[in-house]
Amino acid sequence: MTSLFISDLHLDENRPDISRAFFQFLHSHASKAQALYILGDFFEAWIGDDDQSPLLDEVSRELKALTSKGVALYIMHGNRDFLIGQQFCDAVGAQLLKDPTVIELNGEATLLMHGDSLCSDDQEYMQFRKMLRSADWQKEALAKPLEERRVIAQHLRMASSEANSNKAEDIMDVNPNDVIREMQTHHCHRLIHGHTHRPMRHPLNIDGKPAERIVLGDWDHAAWFLIADNNGLTLTETPFSNATL
């Protein structure tokens, strides 16, 4: 059976090309799979399960159609859509995963993460993340009117973009020691994550045994997905211009 892994689509009404590619991916690949894992930043922003828009309605319909076919759907919070809640997951038939989560994949314990918590060299971001993930901050934010939440989300995106433009590239990547520590803590020799937008398969050595860190790509110009089936694991890139996703 086949499991698929994606992250960092950053779905947004201003990027209909990404939405089209995602829906095509659902029809051509995900509908034939046993499970689809979305490891964070599925949306560019998420201001609450009570939000409404044509894009959200279409995404919800497509995901519900997928799970109605028997495909298991798992969603993990990212740093953009950490307010996705149980209401949305129930509506589309998805299970909300904790970050991190361990699953068995092809007979091997595999650690799933969004990946932003591994970027510990960026101390400014880590403090920012701590604030946004606090229950008090989220409760207060969700209590605000939708329009006010939209303004807050826009402000946060602008602040994040401005801050990142002034940071060195390496500081926004994962800390290698944190990677090893997390994998050791969860007794895993395979890690799958997104967030960094640097798709690659990194061979590792943990406690004298071979290990691997697999980084999923973002969907800015191409659909990146990891296929796990009886043939092993394959990290795949398909340009949006390719009509046969």
Side-chain angles (χ1 to χ4, degrees):
M1 302 297 288
T2 300
S3 293
L4 301 172
F5 299 82
I6 59 176
S7 71
D8 299 279
L9 280 72
H10 296 272
L11 293 178
D12 184 88
E13 291 187 340
N14 295 320
R15 289 295 306 270
D17 55 330
I18 300 178
S19 302
R20 286 194 299 268
F22 175 60
F23 298 146
Q24 188 177 0
F25 168 78
L26 291 182
H27 300 158
S28 62
H29 284 78
S31 62
K32 303 171 186 176
Q34 181 184 25
L36 171 63
Y37 292 82
I38 304 175
L39 301 186
D41 283 3
F42 184 32
F43 294 92
E44 173 66 8
W46 188 269
I47 62 173
D49 289 2
D50 55 339
D51 192 17
Q52 293 181 333
S53 73
L55 174 61
L56 295 180
D57 290 344
E58 189 171 9
V59 170
S60 295
R61 286 195 301 270
E62 291 284 354
L63 292 180
K64 183 59 178 178
L66 180 73
T67 58
S68 295
K69 295 177 181 177
V71 179
L73 176 63
Y74 303 94
I75 298 176
M76 179 177 287
H77 287 146
N79 55 293
R80 298 280 186 167
D81 51 13
F82 53 87
L83 290 178
I84 289 178
Q86 196 60 50
Q87 179 181 334
F88 172 74
C89 290
D90 289 344
V92 301
Q95 179 178 334
L96 191 60
L97 294 180
K98 293 181 179 180
D99 182 3
T101 285
V102 177
I103 65 169
E104 183 175 316
L105 185 64
N106 290 10
E108 181 175 339
T110 300
L111 180 61
L112 306 180
M113 305 179 71
H114 174 57
D116 61 327
S117 63
L118 297 170
C119 299
S120 56
D121 291 337
D122 188 349
Q123 296 182 12
E124 181 183 4
Y125 170 73
M126 296 304 288
Q127 289 297 319
F128 187 60
R129 182 184 190 275
K130 183 178 180 180
M131 178 190 74
L132 296 182
R133 297 302 180 98
S134 72
D136 289 343
W137 188 94
Q138 294 187 10
K139 182 179 179 180
E140 182 178 348
L142 291 172
K144 298 180 184 296
L146 276 171
E147 284 305 319
E148 186 173 350
R149 278 182 261 161
R150 289 192 180 95
V151 172
I152 293 173
Q154 183 179 13
H155 173 74
L156 291 175
R157 290 200 301 272
M158 291 176 61
S160 175
S161 178
E162 183 178 350
N164 288 342
S165 66
N166 296 319
K167 293 175 183 176
E169 283 293 316
D170 59 340
I171 204 174
M172 292 187 289
D173 204 352
V174 300
N175 180 290
N177 293 328
D178 285 346
V179 168
I180 299 297
R181 188 179 302 112
E182 282 287 342
M183 296 177 74
Q184 288 175 326
T185 297
H186 294 90
H187 308 289
C188 294
H189 282 72
R190 179 193 291 142
L191 166 63
I192 302 172
H193 72 83
H195 179 66
T196 64
H197 298 192
R198 302 177 184 189
M200 189 175 292
R201 300 183 68 163
H202 299 270
L204 303 171
N205 186 290
I206 298 179
D207 300 328
K209 296 180 181 180
E212 183 176 31
R213 176 171 69 95
I214 304 174
V215 187
L216 304 172
D218 65 289
W219 285 45
D220 189 17
H221 300 295
W224 281 95
F225 50 98
L226 179 69
I227 304 172
D229 57 21
N230 293 333
N231 296 317
L233 276 63
T234 306
L235 187 58
T236 302
E237 176 190 17
T238 304
F240 291 164
S241 58
N242 189 333
T244 58
L245 258 183

